[in-house]
Amino acid sequence: MIKTDILIIGAGPTGLFTVFEAGLLKLKCHLIDALPQPGGQLAELYPKKPIYDIPGFPEVLAGDLVDNLMEQIKAFQPGFTLGERAETIEKLEDGSFIVTTNKGTKHNAPIVAIAGGLGSFEPRKPPIPNLVNYEDKGVLYMVKEPEQYRGKKIVIAGGGDSALDWSIFLADIAEEVTLVHRRNEFRGALDSVEKVQALKDQGKIKLITPAEVVEVYGEEELTSVLIRKKAEETEDIHLETDYFIPLFGLSPKLGPIADWGLEIEKNAIKVDNSLDYQTNIPGVYAIGDVNTYPGKLKLILCGFHEATLMCQSAYQRIFPDKKYVMKYTTVGGVTGFDGTKKEAPKAVIQAID
């Protein structure tokens, strides 16, 4: 059984930053995540997309932010159970919890922090016959590694930011990019719409609207798609392609956590935001996009703030008789569990003769 001070469900940016804040309090953390690598949505859905609202970073790629967070917490030696989903929770007589994953791995901790983002994701799939037969054989629902599309023919379907952004990004990588949308109007940012139009005018993107991909073909792997335009008396378009990427969004689900006896509101966990983001179960917290409270904003920086206050509360639960005096890292530095220490150089005072 894995034992730790704070068990974190979710290894996204909020979960990772929790390790740092807990480490300052000398609390050990272990993280569980269903994905095979840390980073949550940032690593799984859009590692190459820039983020613009992280303090101190005018622009940072999502994957780079994950790398920076991993470097920041390395000294606090967190443990990871990856590729496994937190399944059940049991409260023991001593007040601690046992959380068991879908693969039977057991974890014991006095504090459980749910930082699962929006939960587990399932792509919204278009109603195309036999589409499932080509999944991972040319049909993909997210772009993980853009380089795999170099020199390839790609058909992207969708009208939101993801469809627009990836069409723009891949226009310089792929041999051919075709964007198909069922309407003439797009739901994405105006700047992105204008860029797609400009790339169309330059011949770098084929834009087919209003239209839908209605059939997919291929023997073992995808080789072509059938595009049906909505205009009357228009023939269907049979287009050869190496990849079909329908980007219609993802449906978030809490998964097994929804059965833990937590108070749920609109697929999010209700917490006490006036103090520490604790749930209706003492010792169980919810931070980041997974929680809800009056005035909630689903931003990474808000998750960082919630993690900080949560760790302070967790320390008081674990050590009720101790009083923690907060010291700024600029004064006390950062001492890792591996013996490393970062601190500002101290001024040297010399006597004047």
Side-chain angles (χ1 to χ4, degrees), residues 177-341:
V177 174
T178 301
L179 176 59
V180 181
H181 182 39
R182 58 186 176 179
R183 298 186 181 91
N184 287 320
E185 302 78 21
F186 289 87
R187 304 185 311 276
L190 178 60
D191 179 63
S192 297
V193 176
E194 291 175 346
K195 285 181 180 177
V196 166
Q197 185 62 52
L199 289 169
K200 177 198 171 189
D201 295 341
Q202 297 168 25
K204 291 187 175 182
I205 288 179
K206 292 182 179 179
L207 187 60
I208 304 178
T209 64
E212 293 182 270
V213 175
V214 294
E215 293 185 31
V216 291
Y217 305 101
E219 292 187 8
E220 294 185 1
E221 296 190 352
L222 179 75
T223 56
S224 62
V225 298
L226 188 70
I227 301 170
R228 181 160 296 157
K229 296 202 70 174
K230 291 190 174 183
E232 295 182 3
E233 300 180 359
T234 303
E235 292 186 2
D236 292 343
I237 301 171
H238 190 270
L239 194 64
E240 292 185 359
T241 188
D242 298 299
Y243 292 98
F244 172 45
I245 310 172
L247 297 174
F248 298 132
L250 300 167
S251 298
K253 295 184 178 179
L254 281 177
I257 291 175
D259 301 320
W260 285 10
L262 299 163
E263 191 173 354
I264 307 295
E265 182 179 285
K266 295 181 180 179
N267 206 44
I269 302 170
K270 289 187 68 175
V271 295
D272 174 13
N273 68 305
S274 65
L275 181 63
D276 54 12
Y277 307 100
Q278 194 162 194
T279 70
N280 58 304
I281 301 177
V284 177
Y285 300 79
I287 52 178
D289 287 356
V290 76
N291 74 15
T292 185
Y293 54 83
K296 170 69 180 182
L297 292 176
K298 293 182 182 296
L299 297 172
I300 294 174
L301 64 91
C302 294
F304 292 166
H305 164 77
E306 293 165 10
T308 304
L309 297 187
M310 183 280 294
C311 286
Q312 296 288 324
S313 176
Y315 181 89
Q316 293 301 319
R317 286 191 64 84
I318 296 173
F319 303 111
D321 298 327
K322 287 186 179 181
K323 183 177 180 180
Y324 174 74
V325 179
M326 191 187 79
K327 295 181 180 179
Y328 298 108
T329 56
T330 50
V331 176
V334 176
T335 302
F337 298 153
D338 58 359
T340 61
K341 183 167 184 176

Side-chain angles (χ1 to χ4, degrees), residues 31-238:
L31 301 93
I32 301 174
D33 202 295
L35 297 175
Q37 73 283 322
Q41 297 178 58
L42 274 62
E44 184 71 5
L45 301 184
Y46 46 88
K48 301 298 183 180
K49 288 186 71 174
I51 301 174
Y52 301 104
D53 60 354
I54 302 298
F57 289 91
E59 177 180 337
V60 60
L61 293 181
D64 290 344
L65 178 59
V66 173
D67 291 342
N68 290 342
L69 286 166
M70 289 295 290
E71 179 65 26
Q72 186 177 27
I73 67 175
K74 184 168 64 175
F76 295 120
Q77 302 176 319
F80 290 91
T81 298
L82 299 174
E84 300 185 29
R85 182 180 64 245
E87 197 83 9
T88 62
I89 189 169
E90 174 189 359
K91 191 164 189 175
L92 303 180
E93 291 184 2
D94 64 0
S96 68
F97 301 89
I98 291 181
V99 174
T100 306
T101 70
N102 60 317
K103 294 186 179 180
T105 307
K106 293 184 179 296
H107 309 75
N108 176 236
I111 300 293
V112 174
I114 302 171
L118 295 174
S120 58
F121 291 88
E122 294 181 6
R124 295 190 179 99
K125 305 178 182 180
I128 300 174
N130 301 322
L131 185 68
V132 66
N133 296 338
Y134 296 98
E135 291 178 355
D136 296 323
K137 298 176 182 177
V139 173
L140 302 169
Y141 300 105
M142 59 186 70
V143 178
K144 295 183 181 179
E145 182 45 65
E147 276 299 315
Q148 82 178 90
Y149 305 103
R150 185 169 292 281
K152 303 295 184 180
K153 295 181 179 180
I154 304 166
V155 174
I156 295 175
D161 284 315
S162 290
L164 292 166
D165 291 347
W166 282 122
S167 295
I168 295 166
F169 190 92
L170 294 173
D172 290 329
I173 294 177
E175 175 188 340
E176 180 180 286
V177 174
T178 301
L179 176 59
V180 181
H181 182 39
R182 58 186 176 179
R183 298 186 181 91
N184 287 320
E185 302 78 21
F186 289 87
R187 304 185 311 276
L190 178 60
D191 179 63
S192 297
V193 176
E194 291 175 346
K195 285 181 180 177
V196 166
Q197 185 62 52
L199 289 169
K200 177 198 171 189
D201 295 341
Q202 297 168 25
K204 291 187 175 182
I205 288 179
K206 292 182 179 179
L207 187 60
I208 304 178
T209 64
E212 293 182 270
V213 175
V214 294
E215 293 185 31
V216 291
Y217 305 101
E219 292 187 8
E220 294 185 1
E221 296 190 352
L222 179 75
T223 56
S224 62
V225 298
L226 188 70
I227 301 170
R228 181 160 296 157
K229 296 202 70 174
K230 291 190 174 183
E232 295 182 3
E233 300 180 359
T234 303
E235 292 186 2
D236 292 343
I237 301 171
H238 190 270

